[in-house]
Amino acid sequence: MSTPPSEPGTLFVPGGPAPGPKELYITDSSGNVQRAVSVAPADTAAASAATRTDPGFFRNLIKALNPLRQQTRTASAMSGLGIAALALDVAATLNLGNPFLFYDRRELWKEMGGRLESGRSDIWFSYFQDVSPNWKGQAADLLGRRVRFNTTVLYEKLHGVTGEMSGAMHSQFKEVLEYDLSVFGLYAASAPVLRTLAAMSAHPAGRVALISQAGVFVSALGNLVKQFADIYMAYESDLNKMEQKLNDVRAAFYEQGDPARGRRDLTLTTAVADRANIHDYWQPASKDLR
């Protein structure tokens, strides 16, 4: 029931509930309230997720990196590799990312997975503890089939997707963090050397050393750009596989897999919610039956 025992009951038919949170009262076959369950809308549950604060790692990294980039640019220009070094400098640093964004999405998908599993367990145990032992009839049988073969399966599919997405976000968080640190480490190690050699470039030996070191630096930048490209393609492939799984879930929820066509019909007649027909669909299970 969706109303207290002292008031006329209202049955919400799946697919068309009124907005806002619901207080549901679970009764036995005699109409005695066993417990109350508060059900929040999906958007409210999502909004209740913990808010995480960006620790500022990425901002601090960029702030520390900019002076080092300026030093390496100046030295590379003096070596004669300015254009090539500048192009790779832009490519390597443009690919820097904020790892917190992937960390946040990893935690969000984990929270979604926890809520899905909690919801699946609530539905499963509520049906077998409160409905199955106390009610029979057409509506109870239909509800049992939905719980066993539809609702539980959909929850499991969604839970599987959340687990894989959380894992993918964790892997990307790790890769982005490692890439950021690799870029910063390269500049932090190369800038002092290039700056020193640039100051000595007036001497022929110093200029040769500068050109050699600048070449090593540009080569390392090229390797970082290739590393980013390989990471990007690998995770693009993983995300493409998960998109296909999400399409399968969408097909299970919506007509022809298109949200614009609306949710799939639960084949539950609206007469189930009519109080005049309650006893035709919901019949208390007799405790005297052997």
Side-chain angles (χ1 to χ4, degrees):
M1 291 196 306
S2 59
T3 53
S6 58
E7 302 177 13
T10 302
L11 180 66
F12 287 108
V13 178
K22 301 290 182 295
E23 188 78 13
L24 303 180
Y25 297 87
I26 309 300
T27 70
D28 58 18
S29 58
S30 301
N32 300 315
V33 175
Q34 301 299 299
R35 58 192 174 91
V37 179
S38 180
V39 181
D43 54 349
T44 302
S48 66
T51 301
R52 288 166 288 276
T53 303
D54 190 339
F57 163 82
F58 185 65
R59 292 191 299 272
N60 293 333
L61 181 139
I62 295 298
K63 183 178 179 180
L65 183 62
N66 284 334
L68 300 176
R69 290 182 65 195
Q70 187 59 45
Q71 294 172 24
T72 56
R73 284 182 175 185
T74 301
S76 298
M78 294 178 65
S79 72
L81 299 176
I83 296 178
L86 178 61
L88 288 172
D89 166 80
V90 171
T93 55
L94 189 64
N95 292 332
L96 290 169
N98 187 351
F100 172 78
L101 298 178
F102 296 97
Y103 166 83
D104 184 55
R105 285 163 175 77
R106 182 194 73 180
E107 296 302 302
L108 179 61
W109 281 104
K110 283 168 59 177
E111 291 165 3
M112 290 173 60
R115 291 198 300 272
L116 283 168
E117 180 58 23
S118 176
R120 185 200 68 80
S121 297
D122 288 345
I123 292 174
W124 184 264
F125 286 107
S126 291
Y127 173 76
F128 285 102
Q129 289 179 357
D130 301 314
V131 177
S132 180
N134 298 304
W135 300 96
K136 61 181 182 178
Q138 181 179 344
D141 292 341
L142 179 60
L143 179 60
R145 291 197 299 271
R146 297 299 301 187
V147 169
R148 286 187 177 93
F149 306 116
N150 297 91
T151 305
T152 299
V153 172
L154 290 176
Y155 267 94
E156 289 175 347
K157 285 186 177 181
L158 286 172
H159 187 264
V161 170
T162 61
E164 292 193 33
M165 284 297 295
S166 179
M169 291 300 103
H170 173 74
S171 297
Q172 293 192 41
F173 159 73
K174 174 178 175 292
E175 295 290 355
V176 169
L177 179 60
E178 289 181 349
Y179 180 83
D180 288 355
L181 293 176
S182 296
V183 171
F184 182 80
L186 174 62
Y187 278 86
S190 301
V193 176
L194 289 172
R195 183 177 67 246
T196 300
L197 293 176
M200 301 168 55
S201 62
H203 191 280
R207 180 165 180 78
V208 171
L210 174 62
I211 294 174
S212 176
Q213 186 63 35
V216 172
F217 173 69
V218 170
S219 176
L221 282 178
N223 288 334
L224 282 175
V225 172
K226 182 180 183 301
Q227 173 188 342
F228 178 85
D230 292 342
I231 293 171
Y232 179 87
M233 293 306 299
Y235 285 102
E236 180 69 17
S237 176
D238 288 344
L239 290 174
N240 181 63
K241 293 177 182 177
M242 276 180 277
E243 183 180 6
Q244 293 175 352
K245 292 186 178 181
L246 285 171
N247 288 338
D248 292 342
V249 175
R250 186 182 294 112
F253 272 111
Y254 298 101
E255 290 288 345
Q256 300 183 19
D258 183 3
R261 295 179 178 271
R263 299 175 183 175
R264 290 194 179 278
D265 186 6
L266 295 180
T267 65
L268 186 63
T269 173
T270 56
V272 172
D274 187 346
R275 291 185 59 81
N277 299 323
I278 287 293
H279 296 295
D280 294 333
Y281 295 96
W282 296 94
Q283 298 152 20
S286 175
K287 301 299 184 181
D288 297 330
L289 291 179
R290 297 291 187 266

